[in-house]
Amino acid sequence: SAPISDLLRDAIVRTLPAKRKDLSAQHLSNLVWAFASLDMGDSGCMDILEVEATTKMAEFTAQGLSNLAWGFATTSICESGLFHDIWLHSSCKIEDFQPQGLSLLAWAFAGLPDGLPNSCPEMFAAVAEQAMSRMGEFGPQDLSGLMLALATSGNDTLQAQLNHAATRQALAVGLPAFKTRELCNVLWACAYSSSAIAPAQLAPLFAAAEQELSGRFRSDG
């Protein structure tokens, strides 16, 4: 017999077209997240969810908007109008975004094709400003995701300010708390935007990272 996940997915695919108008913003957010996580971008459901989400955009919470951005970007649904609407409504609620939401929002927009949408520079600036005001709340996963996404923003001043605050937070959290991939993402983001950051600001992080990674590689060997 088919796995329960396949049976559930097939049931949703069959019933979604008829029930689409009954879905709340919360329902839509959860389904977009779930379908993207299950790699169901080609099921036809995401197109339905995109249409319904666009009509209810004002009803989404900050978390719901970040879920939409991540889910649609993950499944390569990158319509300009959709992401313009996501950012338009996110910008009005930017102070409500938690660290995870800020990281997901930045990641989603960073992966869009060039020119989609035109508001990306403003989005990156607003996300970075909000993130810096709440930097003490960021853990390893959200911190590495945010730094990776904003490294390619093209705004040297923004990168310098964010990475200065983020590297201090990484050291405050403690590098042992970072997974190896997360720590490598942080180092890559700093190296990518190193021209915008004074070397003295990066030295403590790189020294601590060298010690941390060396210990991990020795134990793995």
Side-chain angles (χ1 to χ4, degrees), residues 76-95:
S76 300
I77 296 179
C78 301
E79 296 296 329
S80 178
L82 170 66
F83 276 86
H84 176 78
D85 286 347
I86 290 175
W87 170 238
L88 181 66
H89 289 85
S90 296
S91 64
C92 299
K93 302 175 180 178
I94 196 68
E95 293 183 357

Side-chain angles (χ1 to χ4, degrees), residues 49-72:
L49 296 176
E50 177 192 356
V51 172
E52 296 305 316
T54 300
T55 66
K56 296 182 173 72
M57 198 65 72
E59 302 173 24
F60 284 91
T61 63
Q63 181 179 347
L65 290 166
S66 65
N67 287 352
L68 286 185
W70 179 86
F72 285 125

Side-chain angles (χ1 to χ4, degrees), residues 192-212:
Y192 187 89
S193 54
S194 60
S195 61
I197 311 172
Q201 294 178 0
L202 294 178
L205 174 67
F206 277 80
E210 180 181 10
Q211 181 178 2
E212 176 64 26

Side-chain angles (χ1 to χ4, degrees), residues 99 131-132 134-144 146-147 161-175 177-178 186 201 205:
M132 285 186 284
R134 306 185 62 166
M135 188 58 68
E137 302 173 33
F138 275 77
Q141 183 178 8
D142 299 329
L143 190 64
S144 65
L146 180 73
M147 293 180 69
Q161 293 174 343
L162 177 73
N163 283 355
H164 178 55
T167 53
R168 289 193 300 174
Q169 176 63 6
L171 291 170
V173 169
L175 299 192
F178 285 75
V186 169
Q201 294 178 0
L205 174 67

